[in-house]
Amino acid sequence: MISNFATVVFFVLIACCVSFLVYSLNEKKRMQLIKKLYIALCLLVIEWSLVMIGMRFTSPESTRILFVLDSLSYIAACTAPPTMLLIAVVFVRGAEKLPEWWKWLLVIPLLSNIIVWTNPLHHLHYRVFSIIRSEIVFGPHIYLSGFFTYFCLLASMAELIRFGLQNRSRLYWLQVSSLSLGALVPLAVSFYATFSGNDISIAATPFSFIVTLACNYFAIYRLHLLDIIPIATQHVLDWISDGYLIVNSQGLVVDVNKPFRQVIGKLFGITDNRPLEACLKNEDVTNRTALYNLIAALRSSGEHRTPIAYEQALSLPAENDEPPVKYYYLVDITPLDVSGRQAGYVVIFKDITQVRRSMQQVQEGQARMMEQERLAMLGQMVGGLAHNLKTPIMSIAGCSAAIDTLLVEAEESLGDRDVTDDDYREIYGEIDDWLSKIRSSCSYMSDIITAIKGQAANASNTERHNFSLEELLKRTTLLMRHELLSSGCTLVPVNDLNCRIIMRGDINSIIQVLNNLISNAIDAEHDSEKKEIRLGVEFDNKQLSIYVQDTGHGFEPRVRDKLFQEMITTKGAKGTGLGLYISNSIIRGKFGGSMWLRDNPEGGSIIGFSIPTENDGIVQIEKVEKSEEVGI
């Protein structure tokens, strides 16, 4: 018989199931398959409980009514075990639809219900029916239905335990343990009721499902069973290198993948089913800056309902007393809004450590190439340096000899009454003329040495100074003078600006670019009759353009397509292809500009670069009077 206490418990059980159904059906978001199965299980438990309550208030003499109620109880008794098996399968596999074989699980419950309802005709289920266990005599069908029940419950437990062994997550272990316990209790009660032979209430088996629902309630509401992502997706996420974190709207860690758990989770103690705030320690603020940044970013993302991305560096301790290893992550936080309700966040920790290291290697390699190009150019300049300095040195030597002669003449004429003051003034005037020529030669030599010294600076120099366009073009002309003279080429300035241009940056880098362009133009003019190279300046208030124009052979289409992007040369074995490639890198990286190529209508090419005037103050304009000439 069913006791009064059991009846009260069944009423409470019905109330709990109804509250779960109301809560689930009122949710506006798309219902997961596993929740649908839980709704089905709750409906079965409600039906079972109502039958038990009906039997409690039915007179023992009303055998037919009790038989009908008992037959109704088998709807839930036969269907609940396969439902639990499907719940386990869907949970483990993260399935969005039932497996194809699920309909076969209904064959035996359907057959059992037919046998139970038609029992008076064949007595396959009950030889003798009674609500008192000691008076019941079962038929052979009880073994079939019992075996099916044990199979479903044991299979669900085996599937859950197997999954728990494969996934060592604490959260999964707790979820698996709860679900397994929920299947074990009715299994044990059913087995005992069937084979023990002891007098046990007919309500024992449905009563055992209270433990099942309690375990499932704990898994759903305390372990967030229905909030996790599909497990199949979890397996994929464990294989990727990026860290993956799911946080609910209260800051509770719902799920993490293996890369996150092994690195970031281990460093900060972040585990499943633990609030992020609990991972903070007031006495360890300095070393937990990354965690503070994450929590602050989550709050900001939640307040503004917008994704947030930022870069985070982490220093992970190394083994064997070695220095910490630095890792770089791009943290991408995406808020999860479900029907206008804040549901949580998805946080991706994209490991960009190798990218940063590769970029550093590329930058170092580019700096080395720039230095090599600079040194190659310096080699050419040094070759012409002696020639450039030879003329002013010879001039100084000649002026010095002339001054010595005048000084001797003046000294010998002392006391000579025929030498007048005007003669001495003439001698002093000639000495002053020769000294003026010496000063001019020294100034020229100083300019040459300054230009060479600047080009000898390291390619990685990042100092920024103000310099005028005139100074830039003057140094370029000085450095390329010998190469121009040796090739027989003439450099013609083209500058019609009526304003003074002040630039900011590394003047030596931009001189290197111009030297490259002029050097290429000299090679292009090798077979040209005109041998005239134009160095021009254009300005349109938006950008400053400097170009070198030649009348040479131009560029082939295959070269034009790859120019500035690859190390390509038209000089054959004599060229490396570094010049324009490095020049493009300098203009883009240090001046925010771009290089370009046009055809010269007179034949040849026009290669130049443009620097925007609004780019961080790199180009500044100073207005001057129109009467002033601004030349090269």
Side-chain angles (χ1 to χ4, degrees), residues 399 403 430-442:
C399 292
I403 291 173
E430 291 181 12
I431 291 175
D432 186 60
D433 290 340
W434 290 116
L435 288 175
S436 177
K437 293 179 180 180
I438 290 175
R439 285 191 294 269
S440 177
S441 297
C442 288

Side-chain angles (χ1 to χ4, degrees), residues 269-557:
I270 301 175
T271 58
D272 306 331
N273 204 37
R274 184 182 185 189
L276 282 176
E277 296 281 354
C279 302
L280 295 173
K281 293 182 180 178
N282 295 329
E283 67 275 10
D284 196 19
V285 174
T286 303
N287 294 331
R288 293 181 178 268
T289 304
L291 188 53
Y292 278 97
N293 291 343
L294 174 60
I295 294 176
L298 287 172
R299 290 173 180 169
S300 178
S301 177
E303 291 174 0
H304 299 90
R305 299 291 182 94
T306 57
I308 290 179
Y310 64 93
E311 189 172 319
Q312 180 66 61
L314 291 177
S315 294
L316 303 182
E319 299 178 355
N320 302 325
D321 297 329
E322 295 182 0
V325 181
K326 200 157 191 176
Y327 287 84
Y328 297 91
Y329 292 92
L330 181 62
V331 185
D332 190 353
I333 300 176
T334 303
L336 299 176
D337 288 340
V338 180
S339 300
R341 183 177 63 88
Q342 184 74 40
Y345 310 88
V346 175
V347 186
I348 304 294
F349 282 78
K350 185 173 181 60
D351 189 352
I352 59 173
T353 304
Q354 191 57 45
V355 176
R356 286 289 297 268
R357 291 173 181 171
S358 299
M359 288 178 60
Q360 185 176 0
Q361 292 174 355
V362 169
Q363 291 173 353
E364 291 175 353
Q366 192 176 60
R368 285 194 298 269
M369 288 191 297
M370 290 173 63
E371 188 67 15
Q372 291 172 1
E373 180 69 12
R374 189 189 297 270
L375 291 175
M377 185 168 293
L378 279 174
Q380 297 176 352
M381 292 179 182
V382 169
L385 181 61
H387 186 276
N388 284 337
L389 295 180
K390 182 178 180 180
T391 299
I393 289 175
M394 294 298 295
S395 176
I396 291 172
C399 292
S400 298
I403 291 173
D404 286 339
T405 302
L406 291 172
L407 288 175
V408 170
E409 181 182 347
E411 184 178 358
E412 291 177 350
S413 63
L414 289 174
D416 189 344
R417 295 180 179 180
D418 294 334
V419 179
T420 64
D421 291 342
D422 291 336
D423 294 330
Y424 282 111
R425 289 189 183 94
E426 184 180 354
I427 292 174
Y428 297 152
E430 291 181 12
I431 291 175
D432 186 60
D433 290 340
W434 290 116
L435 288 175
S436 177
K437 293 179 180 180
I438 290 175
R439 285 191 294 269
S440 177
S441 297
C442 288
S443 176
Y444 174 75
M445 292 173 62
S446 177
D447 290 340
I448 288 288
I449 293 172
T450 300
I452 291 292
K453 182 179 179 182
Q455 287 301 299
N458 192 290
S460 61
N461 179 31
T462 58
E463 294 184 3
R464 300 175 64 183
H465 301 286
N466 289 343
F467 59 92
S468 66
L469 179 62
E470 290 79 3
E471 182 183 2
L472 169 66
L473 300 179
K474 178 181 177 182
R475 287 198 189 186
T476 302
T477 305
L478 284 171
L479 290 173
M480 297 304 298
R481 179 179 178 183
H482 173 71
E483 194 170 345
L484 287 165
L485 291 174
S486 299
S487 62
C489 294
T490 304
L491 187 64
V492 178
V494 181
N495 185 0
D496 298 327
L497 302 183
N498 61 350
C499 59
R500 182 178 178 83
I501 304 294
I502 300 297
M503 305 179 68
R504 180 169 178 79
D506 179 17
I507 185 174
N508 298 311
S509 295
I510 204 166
I511 287 175
Q512 180 181 351
V513 173
L514 287 175
N515 288 348
N516 259 312
L517 298 183
I518 295 173
S519 180
N520 288 340
I522 291 173
D523 289 333
E525 292 284 350
H526 183 269
D527 297 326
S528 174
E529 296 181 359
K530 197 172 184 180
K531 289 188 178 297
E532 182 180 279
I533 299 171
R534 293 187 178 185
L535 178 58
V537 179
E538 295 176 350
F539 179 68
D540 62 359
N541 291 323
K542 291 184 178 180
Q543 62 183 10
L544 171 69
S545 299
I546 303 177
Y547 63 88
V548 174
Q549 176 181 322
D550 64 68
T551 57
H553 45 70
F555 289 91
E556 299 178 6

